[in-house]
Amino acid sequence: MSLSATALDRVRSLARRRSSAAWRRLLAAGLALIAAVTAFWPDVGHPAVVAARDLPAGVPLSGSDVRLVSFAAPVSGSFPGVGDVVGRTLSEAARAGVPLTDFDLAAASPDLASVAVRVADQGLADVVRLGSRVDVVSASGEVLAENAPVRETRGQVVVLTLPRLHATRVAAVSLDHELAVTLR
C-alpha cells in the first residue's frame, strides 16, 4: 500500500486481511449486547384504553374496568390514558379487549332514559341483540316507541334507550302487560 492511498483503498486492504480472533470476539460481544438491549426495549406502539372485561351500557367506569394496551396503529377516537375514562359512563355495552372511543363514552342526553322491557315472545327475545333497533308494541297493537336501540339483553328482558317521555310510557304499560318488539 502506498502512502497516498485513499480511504477506499484502506478499507479494501482491511477487508482482504483475515480477521483476528480478538476482532471476532469483539464483534460477537457487540451483537450479544445489541440483542440484550433490544429484548428489553419498551414497546413504542400507540396506547389506547380498552375494556378489561365485558361491560354493560350505563356503567360508570372504574380503574378495574379498563386497562391500557398498546396497538401497532393509532385507534381513531381512543383515549391515551386510563384517567381519561374513569368516572365516565358507557353509552353502549363494550366487549373485553376492545378499545373505548369517544362514541362509547358520549355524554348521556338528559332527554333520554333506559327502560327494561319484558318481551312476550321468548323466541324473539333470543334473536334481539345488542345494537338492534326495535319498535315496542302493546297488547292492543299500539306502537309505544319506534326505532329504539337495544342497549342490553338478558333472557326475556331487553333494555332500550328511548326519549324520556316514551320511556316513562313504556315502563307504565309494561307494569300491566308484556310487550312485543318488532325488529327493524
Side-chain angles (χ1 to χ4, degrees), residues 59-127:
V59 172
L61 296 172
S62 68
S64 64
D65 293 330
V66 294
R67 61 187 170 94
L68 194 62
V69 174
S70 183
F71 289 93
V75 178
S76 180
S78 65
F79 298 93
V82 172
D84 297 329
V85 299
V86 170
R88 295 184 63 182
T89 303
L90 282 173
S91 61
E92 295 186 2
R95 291 273 183 209
V98 175
L100 299 176
T101 65
D102 50 356
F103 288 123
D104 299 321
L105 301 175
S109 169
D111 299 330
L112 296 178
S114 292
V115 63
V117 175
R118 180 172 296 281
V119 180
D121 182 9
Q122 177 63 42
L124 182 62
D126 292 339
V127 175

Side-chain angles (χ1 to χ4, degrees), residues 2-35:
S2 67
L3 293 176
S4 64
T6 64
L8 183 59
D9 290 335
R10 290 182 188 157
V11 169
R12 284 184 191 150
S13 173
L14 286 174
R16 278 188 226 128
R17 291 185 196 169
R18 291 188 70 191
S19 58
S20 68
W23 281 107
R24 286 190 297 244
R25 287 184 189 131
L26 183 62
L27 179 61
L31 291 174
L33 180 63
I34 289 172

Side-chain angles (χ1 to χ4, degrees), residues 161-175:
T161 299
L162 301 169
R164 192 166 295 282
L165 179 64
H166 294 295
T168 304
R169 188 159 180 238
V170 167
V173 171
S174 71
L175 292 174

Side-chain angles (χ1 to χ4, degrees), residues 35-62:
V37 168
T38 57
F40 296 105
W41 201 264
D43 184 13
V44 290
H46 300 275
V49 175
V50 300
R53 56 186 170 78
D54 289 349
L55 299 169
V59 172
L61 296 172
S62 68

